[in-house]
């Protein structure tokens, strides 16, 4: 994988904060000791005191807030704690689903090894709003607005609606193959068909929060190439 230049990822920057468009397949923080490149390391090479203000799953792309100094980190962390940071994600989900301000309020329990489950007894409160943006024959583009920030929250909340994110095999989402969309699709002999996206189709599309001076800003993160390609192919073959 080609390591991106950090400066090329920046969507917004001032003296205190940076918002980047995180590429897929790069962890937000150090996962294990040692080698893997991650957003924190890239950010620290750019700005010595950089700290990541929240996490995105490794496969999730999109808007990630990074503080350049401890005061800015504290300010954004407090906004997260008070649920004042507004986040909007876009996901492509299996099946056609009409979500009109669907509110999911199902507690999530972290069961270790990066996996979670819904538990009304022991789970922590988790709330997400869902709205369908665009319908295809076999898929739906959905807007997801998490109120809380639990691990895998959007992914498992969608799975409870039998609307798993395309390619999210952990939560029963199926990868999207061109052969499923395109009639008379032929693979050459000995060729193995690869999914259109090599990850689950989830992108942190927008984030809104307050700067130090109290001004509220909203930053949009454009779709990465793989997400854009998936939507183009759905427009062409599955509309």
């Amino acid at each position: 994988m080609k390591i991106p230049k950090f400066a090329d990822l920046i969507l917004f920057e001032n003296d205190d904060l940076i918002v980047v468009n995180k590429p897929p397949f790069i962890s937000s923080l150090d996962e294990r000791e040692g080698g893997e490149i991650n957003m924190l390391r890239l950010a620290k090479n750019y700005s010595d005191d950089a700290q990541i203000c929240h996490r995105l799953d490794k496969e999730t792309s999109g808007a990630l807030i990074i503080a350049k100094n401890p005061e800015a980190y504290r300010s954004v962390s407090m906004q997260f704690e008070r649920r004042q940071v507004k986040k909007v994600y876009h996901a492509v989900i299996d099946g056609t689903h009409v979500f009109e301000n669907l509110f999911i309020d199902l507690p999530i329990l972290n069961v270790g090894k990066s996996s979670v489950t819904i538990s009304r007894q022991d789970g922590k409160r988790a709330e997400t709003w869902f709205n369908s943006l665009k319908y295809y024959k076999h898929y739906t583009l959905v807007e997801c607005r998490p109120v809380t920030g639990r691990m895998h929250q959007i992914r498992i909340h969608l799975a409870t609606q039998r609307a798993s994110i395309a390619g999210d095999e952990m939560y029963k989402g199926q990868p999207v193959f061109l052969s499923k969309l395109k009639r008379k699709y032929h693979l050459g002999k000995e060729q193995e068909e690869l999914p259109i996206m090599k990850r689950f189709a989830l992108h942190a599309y927008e984030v809104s929060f307050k700067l130090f001076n109290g001004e509220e800003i909203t930053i949009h993160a454009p779709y990465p190439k793989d997400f854009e390609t998936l939507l183009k192919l759905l427009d062409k073959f599955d509309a």
Side-chain angles (χ1 to χ4, degrees), residues 79-94:
Q79 291 180 60
F80 269 108
E81 243 170 73
R82 294 175 182 148
R83 300 189 182 157
Q84 292 164 334
V85 180
K86 296 180 186 74
K87 293 185 286 178
V88 178
Y89 290 75
H90 285 183
V92 175
I93 57 173
D94 290 339

Side-chain angles (χ1 to χ4, degrees), residues 16-145:
D16 301 303
L17 294 160
I18 306 168
V19 180
V20 293
N21 194 353
K22 180 184 105 54
F25 308 116
I26 297 183
S27 299
S28 299
L29 302 168
D30 281 323
E31 287 192 321
R32 289 176 292 276
E33 290 303 307
E36 269 202 3
I37 196 78
N38 57 65
M39 292 310 298
L40 179 63
R41 255 187 247 179
L42 292 174
K44 279 187 180 295
N45 286 339
Y46 180 84
S47 177
D48 291 344
D49 292 331
Q51 278 181 287
I52 305 282
C53 297
H54 58 115
R55 283 180 177 210
L56 293 176
D57 287 341
K58 188 173 181 175
E59 288 187 33
T60 305
S61 52
L64 185 69
I65 307 171
I66 298 166
K68 288 167 133 179
N69 54 59
E71 295 78 19
Y73 179 74
R74 233 186 340 268
S75 164
V76 175
S77 297
M78 287 306 290
Q79 291 180 60
F80 269 108
E81 243 170 73
R82 294 175 182 148
R83 300 189 182 157
Q84 292 164 334
V85 180
K86 296 180 186 74
K87 293 185 286 178
V88 178
Y89 290 75
H90 285 183
V92 175
I93 57 173
D94 290 339
T96 305
H97 300 270
V98 181
F99 295 151
E100 288 177 3
N101 281 330
L102 172 70
F103 180 60
I104 304 289
D105 177 8
L106 290 170
I108 290 174
L109 178 66
N110 194 330
V111 288
K113 286 197 179 153
S114 293
S115 68
V116 301
T117 185
I118 300 291
S119 168
R120 290 179 194 277
Q121 258 84 39
D122 308 316
K124 287 186 172 168
R125 187 152 200 190
E127 303 171 348
T128 322
W129 292 91
F130 295 102
N131 277 293
S132 300
L133 296 175
K134 192 163 187 182
Y135 303 102
Y136 298 98
K137 281 183 196 143
H138 301 96
Y139 300 95
T140 312
L141 176 66
V142 176
E143 174 190 89
C144 321
R145 292 177 178 266

